[in-house]
Amino acid sequence: EVQLVESGGGLVQAGGSLRLSCAVSGSRFDEYAIGWFRQAPGKEREGVSCISSSGGRPYYADSVKGRFTISRDNAKNTVYLQMNSVKPEDTAVYYCAADWVQTFRTCAPGRMDYWGKGTLVTVSS
């Protein structure tokens, strides 16, 4: 059992920055890969960024590469998503999710076993 709680969403102007946090509890944090996913109105949920238990080899979707940065602090059981140079198309509900690191292979929604409730990010033009 793993519980995840997102925070940090809100309204931000295009070109601005926002940092999302995902607090993880209920199991050994270092045994899980963590990912950020988003779902915009009328669209399917997509992978944004994922990070392994060690923090190495992070994955980024092409649409956010160079603008977003994922990181994890194992001492705080927290994963962050730093969002820079945000665009209106980044508007979505952002979710964090966890997958056991020994079976983690791809940053895809169908691969993740545990999900938070999401936090809304709205980017104004």
Side-chain angles (χ1 to χ4, degrees):
E1 290 288 334
V2 178
Q3 294 83 46
L4 307 99
V5 179
E6 305 94 337
S7 62
L11 176 65
V12 61
Q13 291 189 0
S17 298
L18 204 64
R19 189 175 80 157
L20 306 183
S21 298
C22 175
V24 183
S25 63
S27 188
R28 285 178 60 100
F29 181 70
D30 59 1
E31 292 183 348
Y32 288 87
I34 308 295
W36 285 99
F37 302 81
R38 68 186 182 187
Q39 188 164 20
K43 297 183 179 180
E44 295 185 352
R45 191 170 300 184
E46 64 176 346
V48 176
S49 182
C50 287
I51 191 167
S52 69
S53 60
S54 67
R57 296 180 291 110
Y59 163 86
Y60 297 97
D62 289 342
S63 59
V64 307
K65 192 171 296 184
R67 299 188 297 119
F68 293 5
T69 302
I70 191 170
S71 62
R72 67 188 295 160
D73 186 340
N74 286 359
K76 291 181 167 57
N77 287 10
T78 302
V79 173
Y80 306 95
L81 184 69
Q82 180 66 45
M83 305 168 60
N84 295 331
S85 302
V86 296
K87 304 175 180 179
E89 51 261 44
D90 294 323
T91 295
V93 176
Y94 283 72
Y95 303 86
C96 63
D99 186 24
W100 190 39
V101 67
Q102 294 195 26
T103 58
F104 179 75
R105 294 291 184 271
T106 60
C107 192
R111 289 292 306 168
M112 312 307 286
D113 294 322
Y114 306 97
W115 292 84
K117 295 181 180 179
T119 185
L120 177 63
V121 173
T122 302
V123 181
S124 62
S125 60

